[in-house]
Amino acid sequence: MSKDIGQSEHFSFAETNPIEDIGGGLKRQQLGYNHELMAVKIWFEKGAIGYNHAHRHSQVSYVVEGEFHFNIDGVTQILKPGDSCFIPPHTDHGATCPTGGILIDTFSPAREDFIEESK
């Protein structure tokens, strides 16, 4: 049972919504959430790595700009702007970004750890 994390404001503005430096050439901005769903924007510097990991959440990642080498459950594909991928719960995954780029990640349920880290 997840705890009540509340929800974000109805509207989110790029110029006032905080951007977190999460290290390793990655920055994250929460776009909106409630307990069922979360969307975040992730900036990757050139050569940055989102190291392989797994979590209980379903995830869809959409490439806004740049080139990403996504590894999902041992299979690697190159994704470019307009491409996306689905990552089932508890599936090992990660991405490298040789060009620098931006992703929009959505999670269901919301990533409570992201909300806690931003406080």
Side-chain angles (χ1 to χ4, degrees):
M1 175 72 91
S2 64
K3 66 181 183 178
D4 182 12
I5 59 171
Q7 69 180 31
S8 63
E9 297 293 325
H10 290 271
F11 298 98
S12 176
F13 300 95
E15 62 274 357
T16 58
N17 202 9
I19 297 172
E20 304 168 74
D21 186 337
I22 56 176
L26 301 170
K27 292 182 181 176
R28 176 175 63 214
Q29 183 179 49
Q30 293 180 21
L31 303 178
Y33 65 89
N34 68 8
H35 68 282
E36 297 174 334
L37 180 68
M38 171 180 270
V40 298
K41 186 175 186 178
I42 310 281
W43 288 264
F44 280 66
E45 292 179 3
K46 183 177 181 178
I49 299 171
Y51 290 98
N52 276 25
H53 64 286
H55 45 70
R56 68 183 185 94
H57 312 83
S58 295
Q59 176 178 339
V60 173
S61 293
Y62 174 81
V63 179
V64 176
E65 68 180 50
E67 179 180 291
F68 289 83
H69 298 202
F70 263 90
N71 179 306
I72 302 173
D73 207 17
V75 176
T76 300
Q77 291 288 325
I78 296 173
L79 301 181
K80 296 182 179 182
D83 295 340
S84 60
C85 60
F86 169 70
I87 303 158
H90 308 290
T91 300
D92 191 53
H93 64 283
T96 60
C97 186
T99 61
I102 299 172
L103 294 177
I104 301 295
D105 287 343
T106 55
F107 301 96
S108 178
R111 294 288 304 260
E112 294 172 352
D113 54 329
F114 289 6
I115 295 165
E116 289 299 317
E117 290 169 9
S118 69
K119 289 183 179 180

